[in-house]
Amino acid sequence: MRIGIVVDSACDLPAGYLQRNNIVLLPITVRIGDTLLPDHRDEESTLAFLQGPLSERSAEAETIPYSAEQIRELFLSRLVTDFDQVFCMTITRTRSPLHDNAVQAGYSILNEYKPIRQAAGYNSPFSLRVIDTQNLFAAQAVSAVEAVRLRDSGATVPQMRERLELVASNVHGYMVTRDLYYLRARARHKGDRSVGLLSVALGSALDIKPILHGYRGNTEPVAKIKGFDSAVQALFDFVGKRVAHGLMTPVVCISYGGPLDELRALPGYRQLRDNCDQHGVTLLEAVMSLTGMVNVGKGAVTIGFADEPHTFGN
């Protein structure tokens, strides 16, 4: 059976990994003023954006996911003949309408695919499963990597479906951002009043950086640490401890809102990589998507892994 894997632009995996593993992308479009920027996870284009004039207006950006009709068109024009079964793995539905769009499109796809497949010489049925990864950015990527591992190991479709649902509900995502004022401006532009001016002002004045935890569709701060480098090191040290304890899947995914050389120079990163190597865990690093950067600001770090419930710092 030909099994396809579909993700969206916010899924922070290296472009080379997506290509090698034939992962199909649902591009999210970023609109800033009258300019439309389709996010095809092209790292050079994303880094060039950071140096251009539009980056100064990124807090005003609107992100536009594929509509149900666009998803339907992609599947019926290509994917229902390229594959027999597709797992479409989306950004958490609590932060984007993409999951609901994919579910809506699925009804049309499953009602309309038969004559298209038959015309292409395929008389077997086509199946589609939409999975909410329940997370963002690097944490989204963990479920996609597990899908590739399962497909390549010869797992059956029912085995993949059960396992991927389990992994998605156990992925932990963490983030440290550099600029709290940017987060506030971004939140206000989107109508989210949860980032208070006073807390932002105090945090920025004291250089306090929150460590945010994404889990099962929810995001909340779990620590506040003075200084970006110190916060990132605390995060990397904690992830290293979880790696040593034993993860649910042998991968840690990490993304950075800028050149990867800057990520590799951050305190604690080398030790984290060494910890992963020692325990047979793959560390996949990627430039954060354009979609991610306009939402959380350049220079942010996100990291994800599948693990049992835990408390940050323990």
Side-chain angles (χ1 to χ4, degrees), residues 294-308:
V294 299
N295 276 290
V296 301
K298 63 182 179 181
V301 172
T302 76
I303 193 165
F305 53 93
D307 190 16
E308 63 189 28

Side-chain angles (χ1 to χ4, degrees), residues 7-11 26-29 62-68 71 89-103 130-137 140 186 190 217-219 291 295:
V7 300
D8 56 74
S9 301
C11 182
L26 297 178
I28 295 170
T29 297
E62 179 185 0
T63 52
I64 308 169
Y66 253 32
S67 66
I71 296 170
M89 314 185 72
T90 72
I91 187 172
T92 177
R93 65 183 301 181
T94 60
R95 293 286 180 175
S96 169
L98 183 60
H99 177 272
D100 292 344
N101 292 351
V103 171
V130 180
I131 294 177
D132 177 4
T133 66
Q134 303 181 49
N135 231 301
L136 306 159
F137 312 145
Q140 272 181 263
R186 181 68 185 152
K190 296 170 68 176
N218 298 313
T219 305
T291 303
N295 276 290

